Amino acid sequence: MNVSEAVGRTLVERGVRQVFGVVGSGNFHVTNAMIDAGARFVAARHEGGAATMTDAYSRMSGEVAVLSVHQGCGLTNAMTGVTEAAKSRTPMVVLAAEATQPKSNFYVDQEMLARSVGAVPIRVGSAESAVSDAAAAVDLARRERRTVILNLPIDVQGDEVVDLSVPAEALAAEAPSPRTEDLTRLVEALAESQRPVFVAGRGSRGPGCRQALEDLAEATGALLATSAVAKGLFNGNEWYLDVSGGFSSPLAAELIVGADLIVGWGCALNMWTMRHGRLIGQGTRVIQVDLDPDAIGSQRPMAEGVIGDVRATARAALDRIGEPVPGYRSDDIRRRIVAEIRWRDVPYEDDSTGDRIDARTLSIALDDLLPDDRVLSIDSGNFMGYPSMYLSVPDEWGFCFTQAYQSIGLGLATAIGAALARPDRLPVAALGDGGALMSIAEMETVARLGLPMVVVIYNDEAYGAEVHHFGPDGHNLDIVEFPPTDIASIARGFGFEAVTVREVSDLSPVADWVSGDRGRPLLIDAKVTSRASWWLEEAFGH
Ligand SMILES: Cc1ncc(C[n+]2csc(CCOP(=O)(O)OP(=O)(O)O)c2C)c(N)n1
């Protein structure tokens, strides 16, 4: 067996079941070796798409997936998606063929590329180390939640591997228990607080975290919220305020600002989640519980830290808490949450024109039409809050938010990866026309895979975020506005069913599609009215 075959086989033996990629000469054999060993391969039409599919699949399945790319240009094409994954600490492996001779056309310094975006480079050094290098890439990704780039030099790929025995897996160290003094500080703060709010982030998506946090919140009278990436985590809990941040409904924002203690659980409490700090009231104490010491205070300098695993820390705190107290929970607040917490219950002035539909009205209508058991993926842009706020999701595995790099164009590939990770749910992709056209090649992938996906385009025929950023200052907007594009016709060309929507009544084919066999994906080209969204206004200039 040669190095390519041994590396492919080892990755699968280490637990990889899903590979995405674009195949060229340098990754042909290794990809086939993975398929021969039992992995499923999905060909994307652009490495950027493949990278984000791998990221979304890993996030929504909890497995380490692999992205397979050609040397040099295959990897550079993938780098935006790889950067998003690395910033999000997505455990995945980028299997990159590598030209090591600088005179090769395909040569770039792939190790430096990896480091520049926060991914971890590993190189398959020789035939002797090939198996252990491949195993180490999966172990590191899983153990430390890192995006690993496994470089596979062309000049070692054909060498004979003699010893195929795979080393034992280096297991993750036990999650650290919080230090006694930190735990005491947390417990005392909870005991002193009259109005605690828990904000759960990415680090709370793990097994048992929800229950541990709900139990502690119950005992301390805390209200519950999440960052956007953990949206849905506390669904069904009557004290869940939904997302903290730009997407917070007015009631959620009011109650978070009114807290006297905010505890971030595996949550950086960044500018989005805390609206640049405006969701933190005067004198509110802020505590962050996080495995990563570097996360403490990185976004909120005044935050106190507890280094520890979310579940273990919440459980340990509960053991020390005395009698349950009502805290922030009252009948009045319960009634208000029922009546006001959902965005669709917040009154708004519908600015639909008959020719164009208000994005809020569109989103509410879709929320009613589409089955609840869905996995929703969101691209970036001015529109992004509407699907995030008005379309409900069943739980934290029903919302895939690849926004750590704030790149447009990742939403469609996100939806493909999420769809494959959660085949039991209806995949929904919500995109702007700009992000959709940037990534449109992957519509072929959706159709080829026969995914029963709904793709919704919030089409304002512009880079709306830029229009609303620069428009108010009177700048010439020609460079960010576009003539109409008939995206429904383009989608039909790829094999979608498609509908153009200008008013709610145009959505009736969506109901037919939902009740039909969903044999082909559905694209909704919604011509929306456009207004500056407050969640982006907050970010302008950053
Ligand atoms: C890769 C990338 N290029 C450029 C930008 C800057 N940018 C942010 S939003 C946006 C416009 C997005 O347009 P669209 O997808 O139509 O959504 P809209 O803002 O109109 O709702 C652009 C160009 C970016 N974030 N990412």
Side-chain angles (χ1 to χ4, degrees), residues 80 379-384 405-409 431-438 458-466 468 480 528 530 536:
T80 299
D379 209 331
S380 204
N382 182 67
F383 78 96
M384 68 197 274
Y405 196 24
Q406 268 182 256
S407 173
I408 65 168
L431 321 174
D433 50 304
L437 290 168
M438 188 178 273
Y458 290 74
N459 190 347
D460 63 353
E461 289 141 15
Y463 290 151
E466 313 309 341
H468 299 302
V480 288
V528 293
S530 188
L536 277 193

Side-chain angles (χ1 to χ4, degrees), residues 68-130:
S68 173
V69 293
H70 185 70
Q71 60 274 21
C73 44
L75 181 60
T76 50
N77 260 358
M79 283 316 288
T80 299
V82 172
T83 307
E84 167 63 36
K87 283 178 182 281
S88 298
R89 298 285 295 255
T90 300
M92 65 182 236
V93 174
V94 182
L95 175 58
E98 186 184 30
T100 45
Q101 301 299 326
K103 65 178 185 298
S104 163
N105 294 84
F106 293 124
Y107 176 81
V108 285
D109 188 334
Q110 298 193 176
E111 188 175 328
M112 202 137 83
L113 264 183
R115 288 194 201 289
S116 69
V117 301
V120 186
I122 295 182
R123 175 172 288 125
V124 176
S126 65
E128 288 70 43
S129 69

